[in-house]
């Protein structure tokens, strides 16, 4: 630890100088929390699970209040990432969001994958990212905690935590409604009603609904996609049962029937070679083709199957003809945010539903000790179809992604409530049980490996995954105020995490192959494993069976029935459903010191360690090797910072330097299968490091004017990881083998070197009744990557590159004293073309583009 900290301090002056250069009166940032974006003033947060002024919390926390959220039109975590430097958002092929904080993240698209950035609503966990889709409405504020938060916010918070704070019921009657109309015929309606139902019972009901037309356009035909259809609602009840006992019930839910986004094809290599080779070992230009041999030959008159048998014999003597892959000549999408393509008869869609009920109980045991219980139940249904290859052909499409998640969580804690005491403490325990079931149906009848099935005999499959996660923890946190200058902090949490998995790969129920030469995926694998189950086939495919001394009778392959898993276990040489069990434990901890030499200045230093639980993948696998889990990862964070308030300038200025020692980072990577070549699996990166710095300023130099700026600098690096070369492999059919590649020095995904957010808003009276407000928000980041690549791997650098961007949002409003607000706004007003993710998708490279310029008008009234 001391070695890492000394290295961190040695670079601190360099990083500090770099960050200092970003602070300029020309910039402004939404520091959040106040009545308007970027306001200067006292902000109260619950980052330590008790109310404190933001400037008194010795942690890096970004907070945005309700007005800041409204003015910036922050409606989801994607929008939040543009406002909070250090936070990154990426979509995935399964339409599940992926969050990364300060370079700490886990890109795994299955719905059952825990994130590195834990999310909560009123401290109740939303354990999986798909649950956060429509959470950000009718909020009091959002708190973003940066760095490991394992002691208070639990396992799976190695990157940080996001806590959505819902607007609470009021003692007096209040209500409001907003109606908006925007580009793409988007109509947005939301409203709330709040007030007392009795002397001790208050309630608040909030609803939000959005409908909009298609925003994406096909660039090869007359077709559109991207309709929005979302509805969300929340009921809050606050019952003051006695002077010492309070209950808060939060019942909320949403439904999203919007089209999922289609990616844009990006196969223009501008003269560089693709990552595939032909039979002579030469690179094949023109696209990332999974099976370039089939695609390059063009027409085969003597087609044979994998075992050398003429395919014509399989179709009653009719010759089989294979045409070249259409993806080698498919046009790259224009550099237009709206341009994309998708398979016409497999349009992307969604029908996802979420329900949550949370009961919080606060009981004052004594005048200085409080018991808090938070009981959380979630039920989520997932159903969507997504375009994966970015073309009108069907290289691979997830035509049906069905899932179901159930979560039960309970936290009980006891805490001191006397803030005047020198010693403040909290102790408690957590229990969480989450089940995540998912079945993904794929089709790929135009793929280079299929060509309508004429190459391998099947064009569809399904891979089910049924996983159960149980987490049990006890924790404690202490703060001791030595004197007015020194405050000491420490926390610890012990966690036991269990995960079981049942994963397979099977034929798609009810799917009928469309070509007479197709005999289906189960028959293909039965024939493949049976034909290879002799001599060299067993030695290469089933090394475990050989090593375990199985007899020939024991490893003779037994065919499976249609609908059973055909994934081969190399230890038994038999197809089976994979069953896995992962049991881990860890101890998160944190130590900190606050120094307050004067009223408006705080220095702090923290050391914290956090863990993220291991995980099983949800992948289409040939052998059970692909189903192996990644183990838990560990992040040790060293951080020093300051928080200052300058009353004469009506300004706050905060900054921090940090270093992360990142062990066993979890990544989705390519492995080499002995039969099929490159396939997906989860891997651990043994050691990485992250150096960084942050600064933020908020100022209100005159009444009505709010200015601010925030910036994050990251320097990420893999220190130790030998993985498979993603561009080539050695050997031939049945003996494909990975070529090791040293990833030392590689940058971490979704970790741009610079992220900057700047804003201003100015409100001025124009009459006795009305005021006018104008504002602007600028968010920018430098280029980053979507996947790991080696230092000399120019092809992967191209495939995974995400361009830098600068986005400008504008707003203007008229606000009356009697509750009216009329605003006009624009997002990405320069129509910047940029990407949020880059994926190597079987036969194609695709990019997920940011949304184009949007503008609209909103009319609201509160009373």
């Amino acid at each position: 630890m001391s070695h890492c900290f000394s290295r961190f301090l040695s670079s601190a002056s360099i990083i500090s100088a770099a960050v200092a250069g970003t602070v300029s009166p020309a910039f402004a940032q939404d520091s959040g929390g106040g009545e308007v974006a970027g306001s200067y003033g006292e902000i109260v947060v619950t980052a330590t699970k008790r109310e404190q002024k933001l400037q008194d919390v010795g942690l890096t926390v970004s907070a945005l209040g309700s007005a800041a959220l409204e003015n910036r039109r922050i409606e989801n975590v994607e929008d939040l990432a543009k406002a909070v430097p250090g936070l990154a958002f990426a979509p995935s092929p399964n339409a599940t969001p992926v969050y990364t904080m300060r370079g700490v993240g886990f890109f795994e698209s299955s719905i059952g994958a825990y994130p590195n950035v834990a999310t909560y609503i009123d401290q109740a966990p939303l354990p999986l990212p798909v649950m956060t889709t429509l959470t950000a409405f009718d909020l009091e504020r959002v708190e973003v905690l940066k760095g490991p938060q394992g002691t208070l916010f639990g396992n799976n918070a190695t990157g940080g935590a996001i806590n959505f704070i819902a607007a609470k019921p009021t003692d007096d009657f209040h209500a409001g409604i907003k109606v908006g109309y925007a580009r793409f015929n988007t109509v947005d309606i939301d409203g709330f009603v709040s007030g007392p139902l009795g002397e001790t019972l208050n309630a608040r009901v909030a609803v939000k609904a959005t409908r909009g037309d298609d925003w994406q356009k096909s660039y090869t035909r007359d077709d559109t996609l991207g309709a929005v259809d979302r509805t969300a609602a929340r009921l809050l009840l606050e019952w003051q049962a006695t002077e010492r006992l309070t209950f808060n019930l939060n019942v909320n839910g949403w439904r999203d029937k919007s089209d999922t986004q289609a990616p844009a094809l990006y196969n223009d290599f501008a003269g560089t070679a693709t990552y595939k080779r032909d039979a002579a070992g030469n690179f094949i230009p023109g696209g990332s083709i999974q099976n370039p041999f089939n695609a390059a030959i063009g027409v085969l008159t003597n087609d044979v199957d994998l075992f050398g048998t003429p395919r014509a014999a399989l179709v009653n003597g009719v010759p089989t003809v294979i045409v070249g892959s259409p993806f080698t000549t498919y046009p790259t999408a224009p550099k237009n945010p709206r341009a994309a393509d998708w398979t016409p008869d497999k349009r992307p869609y969604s029908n996802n539903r979420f329900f949550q009920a949370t009961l919080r109980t606060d009981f004052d045991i004594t005048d200085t000790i409080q018991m808090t219980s938070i009981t959380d139940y979630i039920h989520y249904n997932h159903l969507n179809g997504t375009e994966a290859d970015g073309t009108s052909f069907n290289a691979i499409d997830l035509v049906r992604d069905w899932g179901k998640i159930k979560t039960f969580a309970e936290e009980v804690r006891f805490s001191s409530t006397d803030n005047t005491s020198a010693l403040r403490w909290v102790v408690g325990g957590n229990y969480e049980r989450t089940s995540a079931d998912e079945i993904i149906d794929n089709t790929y009848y135009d793929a280079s490996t299929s060509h309508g099935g004429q190459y391998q005999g099947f064009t569809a499959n399904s891979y089910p995954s049924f996983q159960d996660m149980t987490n049990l923890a006890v924790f404690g946190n202490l703060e001791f105020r030595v004197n007015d200058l020194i405050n000491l902090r420490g926390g610890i949490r012990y966690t036991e995490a269990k995960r079981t998995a049942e994963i397979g790969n099977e034929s798609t129920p009810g799917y009928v192959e469309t070509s007479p030469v197709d005999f289906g995926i189960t028959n293909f694998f039965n024939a493949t494993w049976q034909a290879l189950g002799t001599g060299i086939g067993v030695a290469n495919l089933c090394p475990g069976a050989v090593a375990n001394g199985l007899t020939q009778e024991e490893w003779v392959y037994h065919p499976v029935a249609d609908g059973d898993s055909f994934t081969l276990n190399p230890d038994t040489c038999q197809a089976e459903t994979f069953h896995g069990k992962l049991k881990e434990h860890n101890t998160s901890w944190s130590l900190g010191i606050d120094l307050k030499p004067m009223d408006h200045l705080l220095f702090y230093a923290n050391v914290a360690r956090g863990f993220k639980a291991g995980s099983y993948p949800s992948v289409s696998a040939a052998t059970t090797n692909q189903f192996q889990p990644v183990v838990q990862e560990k992040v040790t964070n060293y951080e020093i910072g300051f928080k200052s308030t300058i009353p004469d300038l009506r300004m706050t200025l905060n900054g921090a330097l940090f270093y992360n020692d990142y062990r066993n980072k979890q990544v989705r990577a390519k492995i080499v299968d002995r039969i099929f070549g490159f396939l997906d699996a989860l891997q651990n990166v043994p050691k990485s490091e992250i150096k960084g710095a942050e600064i933020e300023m908020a100022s209100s130099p005159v009444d009505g004017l709010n200015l601010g700026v925030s910036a994050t600098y990251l320097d990420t690096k893999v220190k130790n990881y030998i993985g498979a070369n993603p561009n080539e492999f050695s050997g031939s059919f049945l003996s494909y083998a990975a070529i090791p590649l040293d990833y030392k020095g590689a940058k971490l995904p979704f970790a741009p070197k610079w992220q900057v957010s700047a804003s201003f808003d100015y409100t001025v009276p124009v009459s006795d009744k009305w005021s006018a407000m104008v504002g602007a928000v600028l968010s920018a980041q430098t280029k980053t990557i979507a996947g790991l690549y080696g230092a000399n791997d120019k092809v992967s650098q191209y495939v995974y590159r995400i361009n830098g961007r600068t986005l400008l949002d504008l707003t203007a409003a008229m606000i009356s004293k009697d509750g009216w607000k009329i605003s006009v706004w624009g997002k990405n007003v320069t129509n910047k073309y940029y990407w949020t993710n880059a994926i190597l998708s079987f036969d194609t490279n695709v990019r997920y583009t940011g949304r184009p310029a949007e503008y609209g008008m909103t009319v609201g009234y509160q009373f």
Side-chain angles (χ1 to χ4, degrees), residues 512-747:
V512 178
E513 298 286 356
T514 58
S515 172
V517 301
D518 297 337
F519 45 81
I521 194 167
T522 301
N523 290 331
F524 169 83
F525 274 95
N526 277 337
T528 301
W529 303 144
Q530 204 158 12
L532 297 176
T534 58
I536 189 173
V538 172
N540 284 336
L541 272 181
C542 308
V546 176
N548 294 332
L550 270 66
T551 66
Q552 182 171 352
E553 289 76 15
E554 289 174 311
W555 51 250
V556 168
Y557 179 76
H558 303 289
V560 299
D562 196 41
D564 292 339
S565 178
F566 46 74
T567 307
L568 191 73
N569 184 341
D571 291 333
T572 64
C573 237
Q574 302 299 319
E576 63 180 41
T577 297
F578 173 85
H579 294 272
K581 186 177 294 185
L582 191 63
K583 183 177 181 180
E584 299 172 311
H585 62 88
N586 59 70
T587 302
S588 300
W589 51 264
S590 64
L591 296 170
I593 182 171
D594 300 335
L595 301 176
K596 197 165 187 178
M598 58 185 68
D599 286 343
H600 301 297
L601 180 62
L602 173 71
F603 294 100
Y604 62 89
N606 297 315
V607 182
R609 175 168 291 173
F611 293 84
K612 179 189 176 302
S615 188
Y616 288 94
S618 180
V619 294
S620 181
T623 71
T624 55
N625 289 335
Q626 286 179 258
F627 293 144
Q628 297 305 312
V630 284
V631 299
Q632 64 184 356
E633 66 178 29
K634 176 177 68 177
V635 176
T636 306
N637 171 258
Y638 306 87
E639 184 162 350
I640 56 175
F642 71 92
K643 294 187 174 183
S644 63
T645 303
I646 309 173
D648 291 344
L649 299 179
R650 302 174 67 175
M651 182 176 76
T652 60
L653 180 65
N654 304 334
L657 302 170
F658 55 89
Y659 174 87
N660 283 342
D661 183 359
Y662 200 175
R663 302 298 178 101
N664 283 328
K665 173 179 171 57
Q666 300 167 356
V667 298
R668 191 177 179 113
K670 295 293 182 182
I671 65 167
V672 176
D673 179 77
R674 292 177 182 270
I675 292 181
F676 296 98
F678 293 118
L679 295 175
D680 285 349
L682 297 182
Q683 303 268 286
N684 285 106
V685 176
K687 185 177 181 179
S688 307
E689 70 174 13
I690 302 170
K691 302 174 186 177
E694 294 191 352
I695 196 161
E696 62 177 18
M697 179 273 292
S699 176
S700 295
V702 297
D703 289 344
L705 176 62
N706 297 291
L707 307 171
V709 61
S710 64
T712 297
Y713 169 83
L714 293 176
D715 180 11
T716 67
K717 187 181 300 182
V718 172
K719 301 290 287 184
N720 178 23
Y721 175 47
I722 305 295
N725 187 327
N727 303 322
E728 56 183 309
F729 46 75
S730 62
S732 57
F733 173 71
L734 192 59
S735 62
Y736 291 139
I739 297 176
L741 180 64
D742 189 351
Y743 286 84
K744 183 177 181 179
K747 299 297 184 182

Side-chain angles (χ1 to χ4, degrees), residues 328-358:
T328 58
T329 56
Y330 204 94
T332 291
K335 293 182 179 180
N336 181 319
R338 300 186 64 185
D341 228 337
W342 54 93
T343 310
D345 62 345
K346 292 177 172 55
R347 290 178 60 84
Y349 67 93
S350 70
N351 188 1
N352 303 324
R353 292 173 292 161
F354 172 86
F355 171 82
Q356 180 186 36
T358 300

Side-chain angles (χ1 to χ4, degrees), residues 96-179:
T96 54
V98 177
Y99 309 139
T100 302
M101 187 88 77
R102 288 179 168 179
V104 179
F106 179 40
F107 187 84
E108 165 59 13
S109 56
S110 59
I111 65 172
Y114 281 131
N116 294 74
V117 182
T119 51
Y120 297 81
I121 180 165
D122 290 335
Q123 300 183 22
L126 299 165
L128 299 171
V130 290
M131 299 174 175
T132 64
T133 302
L134 298 179
T135 301
F137 73 99
D138 195 42
L139 297 178
E140 179 181 310
R141 67 182 181 276
V142 177
E143 300 172 6
V144 181
L145 289 68
K146 301 178 182 181
Q149 305 295 325
T151 54
L152 285 175
F153 286 89
N155 203 18
N156 309 315
T158 48
I162 301 172
N163 193 17
F164 298 95
I165 312 296
K168 298 300 184 288
T170 53
D171 293 332
D172 301 317
F173 177 78
H174 291 279
I177 186 171
K178 290 187 296 183
V179 178

